[in-house]
Amino acid sequence: MELEYPSDLKYLDSHEYVRMDGDIATIGISAFAVDQLGDIVFLELPEVGDRVTKGETFGSVESVKAVEDMYSAVTGTVVERNEIVLETPEQLADDPYGEGWLLKVRVEDPSELDEALTAEEYRAQVEGA
């Protein structure tokens, strides 16, 4: 399967991605992570109004293979969470970069993303290129 790595996103080596729109970061997990996990059966996400901190866990994703923590690329306040994927987590596999987003966070310091990987850097890391 050919995996996509949209160039407008920033990536973490823990397989989360961030799409910035003003001071709002849309956070999800990469197609590579979804592919590696297999069938996703459960998600745990913070509530709207909760604070997430760069480098710390904000939730977990459970598949038939494993349970993995997810890490925040930014510090800020959760302004929205994707209730649809909470109810039907298997939809993450259909569109991880679109309808499969997880959280929207109002970012306190956008420069925290300066250390994140570009699409090319992330592709090279996960594909060993």
Side-chain angles (χ1 to χ4, degrees), residues 83-98:
E83 299 294 337
I84 294 170
V85 296
L86 279 171
E87 294 170 17
T88 53
E90 62 275 9
Q91 288 189 348
L92 271 177
D94 297 335
D95 189 11
Y97 301 117

Side-chain angles (χ1 to χ4, degrees), residues 51-101:
R51 190 167 189 273
V52 295
T53 303
K54 179 184 177 182
E56 295 187 8
T57 62
F58 68 81
S60 62
V61 56
E62 182 178 339
S63 73
V64 294
K65 293 182 185 178
V67 176
E68 296 290 336
D69 287 332
M70 295 180 286
Y71 296 88
S72 185
V74 294
T75 300
T77 303
V78 177
V79 295
E80 191 176 349
R81 67 184 196 165
N82 191 339
E83 299 294 337
I84 294 170
V85 296
L86 279 171
E87 294 170 17
T88 53
E90 62 275 9
Q91 288 189 348
L92 271 177
D94 297 335
D95 189 11
Y97 301 117
E99 297 299 315
W101 62 273

Side-chain angles (χ1 to χ4, degrees), residues 1-3 12 15 17-18 31 33 35 40 50 53 55 68-69 103 111 113 115 129:
M1 173 169 118
E2 178 68 25
L3 298 177
L12 299 184
H15 309 295
Y17 70 78
V18 178
D35 183 60
I40 296 172
D50 286 354
T53 303
E68 296 290 336
D69 287 332
L103 297 178
S111 71
L113 284 173
E115 300 167 17

